[in-house]
Short mmCIF file of all heavy atoms in Angstrom, two decimals:
data_model
loop_
_atom_site.label_atom_id
_atom_site.label_comp_id
_atom_site.label_asym_id
_atom_site.label_seq_id
_atom_site.Cartn_x
_atom_site.Cartn_y
_atom_site.Cartn_z
N ASP X 590 105.60 139.72 139.26
CA ASP X 590 105.47 141.10 138.73
C ASP X 590 104.93 141.14 137.17
O ASP X 590 105.63 140.46 136.43
CB ASP X 590 106.89 141.71 138.77
CG ASP X 590 106.87 143.19 138.38
OD1 ASP X 590 106.30 143.58 137.37
OD2 ASP X 590 107.41 143.97 139.22
N GLU X 591 103.74 141.63 137.06
CA GLU X 591 103.14 141.63 135.73
C GLU X 591 103.89 142.31 134.70
O GLU X 591 103.94 141.80 133.53
CB GLU X 591 101.76 142.19 135.81
CG GLU X 591 100.71 141.23 136.59
CD GLU X 591 99.28 141.85 136.55
OE1 GLU X 591 98.69 141.81 135.55
OE2 GLU X 591 98.85 142.27 137.69
N LYS X 592 104.51 143.35 135.05
CA LYS X 592 105.29 144.14 134.08
C LYS X 592 106.56 143.34 133.55
O LYS X 592 106.82 143.35 132.40
CB LYS X 592 105.63 145.51 134.60
CG LYS X 592 104.58 146.45 134.88
CD LYS X 592 105.12 147.83 135.50
CE LYS X 592 103.89 148.74 135.51
NZ LYS X 592 104.22 150.03 136.07
N LYS X 593 107.18 142.60 134.58
CA LYS X 593 108.33 141.76 134.13
C LYS X 593 107.78 140.57 133.26
O LYS X 593 108.55 140.25 132.38
CB LYS X 593 109.02 141.36 135.39
CG LYS X 593 109.91 142.45 136.13
CD LYS X 593 110.78 141.84 137.09
CE LYS X 593 111.61 142.95 137.75
NZ LYS X 593 112.58 142.35 138.74
N MET X 594 106.72 140.15 133.63
CA MET X 594 106.13 139.06 132.87
C MET X 594 105.92 139.44 131.35
O MET X 594 106.21 138.85 130.58
CB MET X 594 104.79 138.64 133.58
CG MET X 594 104.16 137.30 132.92
SD MET X 594 105.14 135.80 133.28
CE MET X 594 104.18 134.59 132.33
N GLU X 595 105.24 140.72 131.32
CA GLU X 595 104.92 141.19 129.96
C GLU X 595 106.22 141.48 129.19
O GLU X 595 106.25 141.48 127.86
CB GLU X 595 104.15 142.35 129.93
CG GLU X 595 102.74 142.16 130.55
CD GLU X 595 102.01 143.38 130.89
OE1 GLU X 595 102.61 144.60 130.75
OE2 GLU X 595 100.73 143.33 131.32
N ALA X 596 107.34 141.84 129.96
CA ALA X 596 108.50 142.18 129.18
C ALA X 596 109.45 140.95 128.77
O ALA X 596 110.64 141.09 128.25
CB ALA X 596 109.41 143.21 130.21
N LEU X 597 109.02 139.77 129.24
CA LEU X 597 109.82 138.51 128.81
C LEU X 597 109.97 138.41 127.33
O LEU X 597 109.10 138.77 126.51
CB LEU X 597 109.14 137.37 129.31
CG LEU X 597 109.12 136.95 130.85
CD1 LEU X 597 108.38 135.71 131.04
CD2 LEU X 597 110.58 136.82 131.20
N ASP X 598 111.19 138.18 126.88
CA ASP X 598 111.46 137.94 125.43
C ASP X 598 110.62 136.65 124.95
O ASP X 598 110.27 135.74 125.81
CB ASP X 598 112.85 137.86 125.06
CG ASP X 598 113.62 136.67 125.78
OD1 ASP X 598 113.19 135.66 125.95
OD2 ASP X 598 114.71 137.03 126.28
N ASP X 599 110.60 136.37 123.70
CA ASP X 599 109.77 135.27 123.21
C ASP X 599 110.32 133.93 123.73
O ASP X 599 109.52 132.92 124.09
CB ASP X 599 109.80 135.22 121.64
CG ASP X 599 108.96 136.40 121.16
OD1 ASP X 599 108.23 136.97 121.84
OD2 ASP X 599 109.14 136.70 119.88
N GLU X 600 111.73 133.82 123.75
CA GLU X 600 112.34 132.51 124.26
C GLU X 600 111.92 132.22 125.72
O GLU X 600 111.58 131.01 126.08
CB GLU X 600 113.82 132.49 124.01
CG GLU X 600 114.50 131.39 124.41
CD GLU X 600 116.09 131.35 124.25
OE1 GLU X 600 116.38 132.42 123.79
OE2 GLU X 600 116.66 130.34 124.70
N SER X 601 112.06 133.25 126.54
CA SER X 601 111.71 133.03 127.86
C SER X 601 110.23 132.70 128.16
O SER X 601 109.92 131.91 129.01
CB SER X 601 112.06 134.28 128.74
OG SER X 601 113.55 134.51 128.60
N PHE X 602 109.42 133.49 127.49
CA PHE X 602 107.94 133.25 127.61
C PHE X 602 107.60 131.86 127.20
O PHE X 602 106.71 131.14 127.85
CB PHE X 602 107.14 134.19 126.82
CG PHE X 602 105.66 134.12 126.87
CD1 PHE X 602 105.10 134.68 127.91
CD2 PHE X 602 104.96 133.36 125.93
CE1 PHE X 602 103.69 134.64 128.09
CE2 PHE X 602 103.52 133.34 126.15
CZ PHE X 602 102.96 133.91 127.26
N LEU X 603 108.25 131.36 126.13
CA LEU X 603 107.84 130.15 125.45
C LEU X 603 108.39 129.05 126.53
O LEU X 603 107.77 127.90 126.71
CB LEU X 603 108.51 129.78 124.11
CG LEU X 603 107.78 130.61 123.12
CD1 LEU X 603 108.59 130.35 121.69
CD2 LEU X 603 106.30 130.04 122.80
N LYS X 604 109.44 129.16 127.27
CA LYS X 604 109.94 128.19 128.21
C LYS X 604 108.96 128.20 129.41
O LYS X 604 108.72 127.11 129.86
CB LYS X 604 111.27 128.89 128.74
CG LYS X 604 112.02 127.94 129.80
CD LYS X 604 113.32 128.40 130.32
CE LYS X 604 113.95 127.48 131.20
NZ LYS X 604 115.27 127.93 131.60
N VAL X 605 108.34 129.27 129.79
CA VAL X 605 107.23 129.26 130.87
C VAL X 605 106.13 128.47 130.26
O VAL X 605 105.51 127.58 131.02
CB VAL X 605 106.93 130.69 131.28
CG1 VAL X 605 105.76 130.51 132.26
CG2 VAL X 605 108.06 131.40 131.79
N ARG X 606 105.73 128.85 129.10
CA ARG X 606 104.57 128.14 128.55
C ARG X 606 104.75 126.63 128.42
O ARG X 606 103.89 125.82 128.66
CB ARG X 606 104.31 128.72 127.11
CG ARG X 606 103.05 128.09 126.42
CD ARG X 606 102.88 128.70 125.02
NE ARG X 606 101.76 128.07 124.37
CZ ARG X 606 101.47 128.30 123.08
NH1 ARG X 606 102.14 129.23 122.44
NH2 ARG X 606 100.47 127.69 122.42
N HIS X 607 105.89 126.23 127.76
CA HIS X 607 106.18 124.78 127.67
C HIS X 607 106.29 124.01 128.92
O HIS X 607 106.17 122.80 128.93
CB HIS X 607 107.41 124.59 126.74
CG HIS X 607 107.26 125.00 125.24
ND1 HIS X 607 108.22 125.45 124.52
CD2 HIS X 607 106.06 125.27 124.63
CE1 HIS X 607 107.86 125.85 123.23
NE2 HIS X 607 106.47 125.80 123.26
N SER X 608 106.54 124.74 129.97
CA SER X 608 106.70 124.12 131.30
C SER X 608 105.32 123.91 131.88
O SER X 608 105.30 123.39 133.01
CB SER X 608 107.58 124.94 132.23
OG SER X 608 108.93 125.03 131.78
N ARG X 609 104.24 124.54 131.17
CA ARG X 609 102.91 124.47 131.65
C ARG X 609 102.67 125.07 133.02
O ARG X 609 101.83 124.77 133.78
CB ARG X 609 102.54 122.96 131.82
CG ARG X 609 102.61 122.09 130.54
CD ARG X 609 102.41 120.65 130.79
NE ARG X 609 101.14 120.35 131.13
CZ ARG X 609 100.59 119.15 131.49
NH1 ARG X 609 101.50 118.10 131.43
NH2 ARG X 609 99.39 118.95 131.85
N PHE X 610 103.48 126.23 133.11
CA PHE X 610 103.31 127.06 134.30
C PHE X 610 102.34 128.34 134.10
O PHE X 610 101.96 128.88 135.14
CB PHE X 610 104.73 127.51 134.75
CG PHE X 610 105.62 126.46 135.32
CD1 PHE X 610 106.90 126.39 135.11
CD2 PHE X 610 105.01 125.32 135.96
CE1 PHE X 610 107.82 125.43 135.53
CE2 PHE X 610 105.75 124.32 136.48
CZ PHE X 610 107.22 124.38 136.34
N LEU X 611 102.03 128.51 132.84
CA LEU X 611 101.20 129.83 132.66
C LEU X 611 99.82 129.87 133.34
O LEU X 611 99.46 130.82 133.93
CB LEU X 611 100.98 129.99 131.15
CG LEU X 611 102.12 130.69 130.41
CD1 LEU X 611 101.66 130.77 128.88
CD2 LEU X 611 102.41 132.07 130.89
N PRO X 612 99.12 128.64 133.36
CA PRO X 612 97.93 128.69 134.19
C PRO X 612 98.15 128.97 135.62
O PRO X 612 97.29 129.54 136.30
CB PRO X 612 97.34 127.16 133.96
CG PRO X 612 97.85 126.81 132.66
CD PRO X 612 99.35 127.43 132.66
N LEU X 613 99.21 128.44 136.22
CA LEU X 613 99.46 128.69 137.71
C LEU X 613 99.66 130.25 137.86
O LEU X 613 99.24 130.67 138.81
CB LEU X 613 100.74 127.91 137.98
CG LEU X 613 100.69 126.29 137.84
CD1 LEU X 613 101.93 125.78 138.38
CD2 LEU X 613 99.39 125.79 138.62
N ILE X 614 100.39 130.90 136.93
CA ILE X 614 100.73 132.29 137.09
C ILE X 614 99.36 133.01 137.07
O ILE X 614 99.18 133.88 137.80
CB ILE X 614 101.70 132.70 136.09
CG1 ILE X 614 103.09 132.07 136.34
CG2 ILE X 614 101.81 134.26 136.02
CD1 ILE X 614 104.12 132.35 135.31
N TYR X 615 98.58 132.72 136.13
CA TYR X 615 97.27 133.46 135.92
C TYR X 615 96.41 133.32 137.19
O TYR X 615 95.79 134.13 137.55
CB TYR X 615 96.53 133.07 134.63
CG TYR X 615 97.30 133.34 133.42
CD1 TYR X 615 97.25 132.49 132.24
CD2 TYR X 615 98.13 134.42 133.27
CE1 TYR X 615 98.00 132.77 131.05
CE2 TYR X 615 98.72 134.76 132.09
CZ TYR X 615 98.72 133.82 131.03
OH TYR X 615 99.40 134.30 129.78
N ALA X 616 96.33 131.99 137.68
CA ALA X 616 95.53 131.73 138.87
C ALA X 616 96.15 132.53 140.09
O ALA X 616 95.25 133.13 140.78
CB ALA X 616 95.58 130.17 139.20
N HIS X 617 97.36 132.45 140.18
CA HIS X 617 98.01 133.45 141.23
C HIS X 617 97.74 134.79 141.18
O HIS X 617 97.24 135.47 142.13
CB HIS X 617 99.51 133.20 141.14
CG HIS X 617 100.38 134.21 141.62
ND1 HIS X 617 100.40 134.70 142.99
CD2 HIS X 617 101.18 135.23 141.08
CE1 HIS X 617 101.16 135.76 143.16
NE2 HIS X 617 101.67 136.11 141.93
N LEU X 618 97.79 135.41 139.94
CA LEU X 618 97.49 136.86 139.75
C LEU X 618 96.00 137.13 139.96
O LEU X 618 95.66 138.07 140.67
CB LEU X 618 97.90 137.21 138.29
CG LEU X 618 99.47 137.28 138.03
CD1 LEU X 618 99.64 137.54 136.55
CD2 LEU X 618 100.14 138.25 138.98
N LEU X 619 95.12 136.29 139.66
CA LEU X 619 93.75 136.50 139.81
C LEU X 619 93.38 136.37 141.30
O LEU X 619 92.52 137.08 141.77
CB LEU X 619 92.81 135.46 139.00
CG LEU X 619 92.90 135.66 137.56
CD1 LEU X 619 92.15 134.41 136.78
CD2 LEU X 619 91.98 136.96 137.19
N SER X 620 94.18 135.55 142.04
CA SER X 620 93.86 135.33 143.44
C SER X 620 94.24 136.51 144.38
O SER X 620 93.71 136.68 145.45
CB SER X 620 94.63 134.15 144.00
OG SER X 620 95.99 134.48 144.23
N LEU X 621 95.01 137.46 143.77
CA LEU X 621 95.49 138.59 144.58
C LEU X 621 94.36 139.54 144.88
O LEU X 621 94.59 140.34 145.97
CB LEU X 621 96.61 139.18 143.91
CG LEU X 621 97.95 138.36 143.66
CD1 LEU X 621 98.81 139.27 143.04
CD2 LEU X 621 98.55 137.79 145.10
N HIS X 622 93.26 139.49 144.41
CA HIS X 622 92.17 140.42 144.72
C HIS X 622 91.63 140.00 146.09
O HIS X 622 90.98 140.90 146.86
CB HIS X 622 91.08 140.43 143.72
CG HIS X 622 90.14 139.21 143.85
ND1 HIS X 622 90.31 138.04 143.22
CD2 HIS X 622 88.88 139.07 144.46
CE1 HIS X 622 89.45 137.10 143.56
NE2 HIS X 622 88.46 137.77 144.22
N HIS X 623 91.90 138.88 146.59
CA HIS X 623 91.52 138.50 147.90
C HIS X 623 92.29 139.15 149.00
O HIS X 623 91.99 138.95 150.17
CB HIS X 623 91.63 136.90 148.16
CG HIS X 623 90.63 136.18 147.20
ND1 HIS X 623 89.20 136.34 147.42
CD2 HIS X 623 90.73 135.26 146.31
CE1 HIS X 623 88.54 135.53 146.56
NE2 HIS X 623 89.53 134.82 145.88
N LEU X 624 93.41 139.86 148.66
CA LEU X 624 94.14 140.63 149.65
C LEU X 624 93.14 141.69 150.18
O LEU X 624 93.25 142.07 151.34
CB LEU X 624 95.31 141.41 149.07
CG LEU X 624 96.51 140.51 148.62
CD1 LEU X 624 97.50 141.30 147.69
CD2 LEU X 624 97.11 139.97 149.89
N GLY X 625 92.19 142.13 149.44
CA GLY X 625 91.09 142.98 149.89
C GLY X 625 90.34 142.40 150.96
O GLY X 625 89.85 143.09 151.91
N THR X 626 89.98 141.01 150.91
CA THR X 626 89.24 140.49 151.82
C THR X 626 89.96 140.29 153.12
O THR X 626 89.42 140.58 154.27
CB THR X 626 88.90 138.95 151.38
OG1 THR X 626 88.20 139.05 150.14
CG2 THR X 626 88.06 138.31 152.39
N LEU X 627 91.17 140.03 153.15
CA LEU X 627 92.03 140.01 154.38
C LEU X 627 92.09 141.48 155.04
O LEU X 627 92.03 141.51 156.11
CB LEU X 627 93.47 139.48 154.09
CG LEU X 627 93.55 138.21 153.39
CD1 LEU X 627 95.05 137.78 153.29
CD2 LEU X 627 92.82 137.08 154.11
N ARG X 628 92.32 142.38 154.14
CA ARG X 628 92.38 143.75 154.61
C ARG X 628 91.04 144.23 155.45
O ARG X 628 91.01 144.75 156.46
CB ARG X 628 92.56 144.84 153.41
CG ARG X 628 92.59 146.28 153.90
CD ARG X 628 92.40 147.16 152.68
NE ARG X 628 91.04 146.90 152.11
CZ ARG X 628 90.61 147.52 150.99
NH1 ARG X 628 91.39 148.34 150.36
NH2 ARG X 628 89.50 147.25 150.59
N GLU X 629 89.95 143.91 154.66
CA GLU X 629 88.68 144.18 155.13
C GLU X 629 88.33 143.47 156.66
O GLU X 629 87.68 144.02 157.54
CB GLU X 629 87.47 143.92 154.20
CG GLU X 629 87.51 144.82 152.94
CD GLU X 629 86.60 144.28 151.87
OE1 GLU X 629 85.84 143.22 152.08
OE2 GLU X 629 86.59 144.76 150.82
N HIS X 630 88.79 142.16 156.62
CA HIS X 630 88.60 141.59 157.90
C HIS X 630 89.48 142.24 159.13
O HIS X 630 88.86 142.30 160.14
CB HIS X 630 89.11 140.08 157.71
CG HIS X 630 89.01 139.24 159.09
ND1 HIS X 630 89.93 139.18 159.99
CD2 HIS X 630 88.03 138.39 159.48
CE1 HIS X 630 89.63 138.39 160.97
NE2 HIS X 630 88.43 137.91 160.56
N TYR X 631 90.64 142.58 158.81
CA TYR X 631 91.42 143.18 159.74
C TYR X 631 90.80 144.60 160.11
O TYR X 631 90.86 145.01 161.34
CB TYR X 631 92.92 143.31 159.28
CG TYR X 631 93.77 144.10 160.26
CD1 TYR X 631 94.54 143.44 161.12
CD2 TYR X 631 93.94 145.56 160.35
CE1 TYR X 631 95.30 144.02 162.17
CE2 TYR X 631 94.72 146.14 161.27
CZ TYR X 631 95.51 145.32 162.13
OH TYR X 631 96.27 145.97 163.05
N HIS X 632 90.36 145.27 159.05
CA HIS X 632 89.66 146.54 159.23
C HIS X 632 88.53 146.42 160.14
O HIS X 632 88.32 147.24 161.17
CB HIS X 632 89.29 147.12 157.91
CG HIS X 632 88.48 148.49 157.97
ND1 HIS X 632 88.98 149.53 157.84
CD2 HIS X 632 87.16 148.61 158.07
CE1 HIS X 632 88.11 150.59 157.78
NE2 HIS X 632 86.98 149.99 157.97
N ALA X 633 87.64 145.49 159.93
CA ALA X 633 86.45 145.26 160.72
C ALA X 633 86.73 144.88 162.13
O ALA X 633 86.06 145.18 163.08
CB ALA X 633 85.51 144.37 160.02
N LYS X 634 87.74 144.13 162.28
CA LYS X 634 88.07 143.54 163.60
C LYS X 634 88.76 144.52 164.58
O LYS X 634 88.54 144.57 165.72
CB LYS X 634 89.13 142.39 163.41
CG LYS X 634 89.56 141.71 164.74
CD LYS X 634 90.51 140.70 164.46
CE LYS X 634 91.13 140.15 165.79
NZ LYS X 634 92.18 139.11 165.56
N ASN X 635 89.49 145.50 164.02
CA ASN X 635 90.22 146.43 164.86
C ASN X 635 89.68 147.87 164.94
O ASN X 635 89.67 148.55 166.04
CB ASN X 635 91.60 146.65 164.32
CG ASN X 635 92.41 145.27 164.45
OD1 ASN X 635 93.02 144.98 165.56
ND2 ASN X 635 92.47 144.36 163.49
N THR X 636 89.21 148.50 163.83
CA THR X 636 88.63 149.87 163.93
C THR X 636 87.89 150.07 162.61
O THR X 636 88.21 149.55 161.42
CB THR X 636 89.72 150.96 164.16
OG1 THR X 636 89.12 152.11 164.13
CG2 THR X 636 90.84 150.68 163.03
N SER X 637 86.92 150.91 162.75
CA SER X 637 86.14 151.30 161.60
C SER X 637 86.72 152.39 160.74
O SER X 637 86.23 152.81 159.70
CB SER X 637 84.77 151.88 161.98
OG SER X 637 84.77 152.91 162.83
N GLN X 638 88.09 152.93 161.21
CA GLN X 638 88.59 153.95 160.46
C GLN X 638 90.08 153.60 159.94
O GLN X 638 90.73 154.52 159.51
CB GLN X 638 88.80 155.17 161.48
CG GLN X 638 87.52 155.84 161.76
CD GLN X 638 87.57 156.95 162.76
OE1 GLN X 638 88.71 157.20 163.25
NE2 GLN X 638 86.59 157.70 163.00
N GLU X 639 90.31 152.25 159.89
CA GLU X 639 91.55 151.83 159.34
C GLU X 639 91.57 151.95 157.80
O GLU X 639 90.57 151.67 157.18
CB GLU X 639 91.95 150.54 159.83
CG GLU X 639 92.22 150.63 161.29
CD GLU X 639 92.67 149.15 161.82
OE1 GLU X 639 92.60 148.18 161.03
OE2 GLU X 639 93.02 149.05 162.98
N THR X 640 92.80 152.17 157.32
CA THR X 640 92.99 152.01 155.92
C THR X 640 94.21 151.25 155.66
O THR X 640 95.06 151.13 156.49
CB THR X 640 93.14 153.53 155.14
OG1 THR X 640 94.19 154.18 155.76
CG2 THR X 640 91.88 154.29 155.43
N SER X 641 94.42 150.90 154.36
CA SER X 641 95.61 149.91 154.14
C SER X 641 96.33 150.66 152.85
O SER X 641 95.54 151.21 151.95
CB SER X 641 95.37 148.62 153.85
OG SER X 641 94.48 148.42 152.80
N THR X 642 97.61 150.46 152.76
CA THR X 642 98.28 150.88 151.63
C THR X 642 98.88 149.65 150.86
O THR X 642 99.57 148.86 151.53
CB THR X 642 99.47 151.83 152.01
OG1 THR X 642 98.98 152.92 152.75
CG2 THR X 642 100.21 152.33 150.77
#
Side-chain angles (χ1 to χ4, degrees):
D590 188 308
E591 291 183 69
K592 291 184 178 180
K593 288 190 174 184
M594 185 74 185
E595 293 171 357
L597 287 177
D598 57 43
D599 290 346
E600 182 180 354
S601 297
F602 184 82
L603 287 174
K604 184 176 181 179
V605 177
R606 179 183 175 186
H607 290 158
S608 299
R609 300 171 65 183
F610 292 147
L611 280 179
L613 302 182
I614 293 174
Y615 295 147
H617 153 67
L618 292 173
L619 286 171
S620 78
L621 294 178
H622 78 276
H623 292 300
L624 288 170
T626 302
L627 302 186
R628 177 201 63 183
E629 290 168 5
H630 180 275
Y631 182 89
H632 176 95
K634 178 182 176 183
N635 291 276
T636 174
S637 61
Q638 297 181 346
E639 289 181 356
T640 59
S641 66
T642 303

